[in-house]
Every structure is written in C-alpha cells, then in structure tokens.
Amino acid sequence: MKSILVTGGCGFIGSNFVRLLLQNDGALLSESGYDRLINLDALTYAGNRANLTEFEDSQSYRFVEGDICDQALVSSLLEENEVDTIVHFAAESHVDRSIDGPEPFVQTNVVGTLRLLQAAKGRWESLDDVRRDAFRFLHVSTDEVYGTLAPDDPAFCEATPYAPNSPYSASKASSDFLVRAYFHTYGMPVVTTNCSNNYGPYQFPEKLIPLVLLNALEGKPLPIYGDGKQIRDWLYVEDHCTGILAALTKGQLGETYCVGGRSEMENIQIVRRICAILDELRPASENPNLEGNNSYDDLITYVKDRPGHDRRYAINCGRIEAECGWNPAETFDTGIRKTVEWYLENKDWCQDIAEKKYARERLGTG
C-alpha cells in the first residue's frame, strides 16, 4: 500500500486539496500512485471536518484528529499507513491573529514543522532504496515571506530575498528554512511552494473575500483597511491545489516553486467586484438585510490600517509553468464568480461556520 499524509487537511486549502484527490471515486489519487490519503488535523478554529463529510466512508480516506507537534503520533501514522508522501498545509495563517498573539504561530508553524520533519526523516530513513527514492515531503508556504513590493518592483520569484514583516510571515519563513536545511543537511527529498493569496470555497470568514461576502449578505459593514489600495495576486484555490500536485510530482528536489494566479488587484477593487456580482445575483432590493441601500457598495466602510500592512504582493510563476507544465485555469473574473456562487449555494455551511466562530468569540477564544 502507498499512502499520502496531508496535514491540515480540514482547513481551507488543505480540504480543497483532499477533495481534488478524492473526488470521482479517488481517480486522481489513484492516478498519482496512491492507495490511501491520511488527513491529520488538530481541528483548531479554522479546521472544519464537515468540509470533507462526503468522503468519511471512503476506503481511500482516513481522518485523524491530532497535532503535528505530537511527533510520536506523526511517526506512528507514517509507519502504520506506509506513508510515502507528506503534503504539509497545517499552519496558523491569519496575519491579524499573529499580531494579537504571535506565540501560537511559532508553536505550530516552526515547532510543528520541525517535529513533522523529524518524524518524516525517521520514516524516510527506514525505507528500502526504492521507496526511499520515491519519498516526498512537500511544504506549502506563502509569498508573504518575501515582504512587500513597491508599485514598480518586479514580482516575487524563487530568488527573491526573504523579508517577512509580520509574526505570521516570520514564522512561515522559519519553517521554510527548516525544510531547506533538512534537504541540505540530511538529503531529505523536499519541495517547497510559495503561493499568493488564495480564494474560493470553504474559506474561513476572517479572510477578505468570504468576510466581505457574508457581511454583505447580512447587511453589515464591509471593512476596508486604510485606503484599500493594497495589492495582492489572487489565486483560485483549486488552481493552487493543481500547482501543488504538479510541484510534488514534477518538481526538482530541494527547490522552491512560486505559485500565483497572475491576477494583481487592489483590495478595494476586489470588494467592488464582489458587490457587483451580488448586485446581479442577489440584488439589494431583494435582500431584507439591506433596507435603504441601493447597492452592496453602500456598505463599504474604511477602517484604520493594521500595523505593518504590506503594500503589494505579486508572484512570477514562470518557473513552475516551465518546469512542471502548470498554469492557472481560472482568471480572477471566472474564479470570483464561482466563489460568490458557491457561498450563495452553501448557506448551511456558512451559517455553521459563523455560529462556531461567534461562539468562540463569546468564550474569548476567537
């Protein structure tokens, strides 16, 4: 049996990656050479097991609730399930939360990655030569490790120096360096991907796009930091997942691949685009929460900028395109429409996640 371990597989990007492999009776999982997928997730506030309910009874899928910091647990899972490949999503990932409390980000993103690497190293070293050569550890990271760009600067690429500006990005930069070190020191077969801002189905509503969507539908203010002209490169989550799979199967060992959507836009443009789609699909006149508003645009509210807010991110994804044959399938226009339609069609998921979020906030753990 050949198995793949996904850490953080109940989170936003992780669950979309698991779904990509398991949909259509696990066709892509089998095509990629695996018999089984093991999903290890601690189910913190942003992890939602319900994202993958439809696969719970599949023989090709196993969910394990647990922490990547528990090295003994990880080691036992790797051995028991004959794991040949690890795809590491598990991370604390929200910049605002890292500003309010950096320690959990160091614990999960740095210590957790270290312990996962140690467990993976033990598994890799125990294999015979054939399976050892086939073993892979793919580490999923972020473009935020590169810092910020001026308006005319070239986009981030794999050679861009690291310059993290938040506790979150500093913790991810640290984890990237650990992964690199395990390749150069021990020869472990690792690959790293650094992605731009993701959006799409199943995203926790503290991030910009789902927050704007759900607030708009509820008639709540749409908060815009500062002047709203911060620029991000937006990547549809399924495109990111196919990029990860391409880097995993075709990437050079010890190398990094930047994965982007080639869709640079200002935050205020994103919000206005969402409002325009909602005006079309769910007009304000038909929404009882928007009494007195002619458009969802009327809800836009500018708020104080957050500390150390990076001005611009952009990704040059030419390397993964050239070496791995990957390209994003969605433009921002097609991806954002799919995203808005998904949230409109999945009100129960949105309500459930909102209730859990607000319950934690009432308990003081949000």
Side-chain angles (χ1 to χ4, degrees), residues 215-220 282-293 296 299 347:
N215 275 19
L217 292 171
E218 295 174 9
K220 295 179 178 179
R282 191 65 51 86
S285 60
E286 298 176 10
N287 186 336
N289 296 319
L290 269 74
E291 187 175 350
N293 293 295
Y296 291 93
L299 299 172
K347 293 180 181 178

Side-chain angles (χ1 to χ4, degrees), residues 6 9-10 18-19 22 29 35-41 48-49 51-64:
V6 175
C10 290
V18 172
R19 180 175 297 279
L22 293 182
L29 183 72
D35 303 295
R36 200 175 191 202
L37 186 150
I38 318 301
N39 175 10
L40 175 64
D41 197 297
N48 187 357
R49 189 171 175 177
N51 290 358
L52 298 166
T53 302
E54 67 199 82
F55 304 112
E56 290 279 355
D57 296 329
S58 170
Q59 295 298 310
S60 300
Y61 176 69
R62 178 187 176 192
F63 169 75
V64 178

Side-chain angles (χ1 to χ4, degrees), residues 324-352:
C324 304
W326 173 87
N327 285 279
E330 302 293 341
T331 65
F332 185 77
D333 284 340
T334 62
I336 195 62
R337 179 168 286 273
K338 284 184 176 182
T339 301
V340 173
E341 289 173 347
W342 186 89
Y343 279 91
L344 291 175
E345 292 166 2
N346 289 272
K347 293 180 181 178
D348 290 344
W349 184 90
C350 297
Q351 184 63 33
D352 180 64

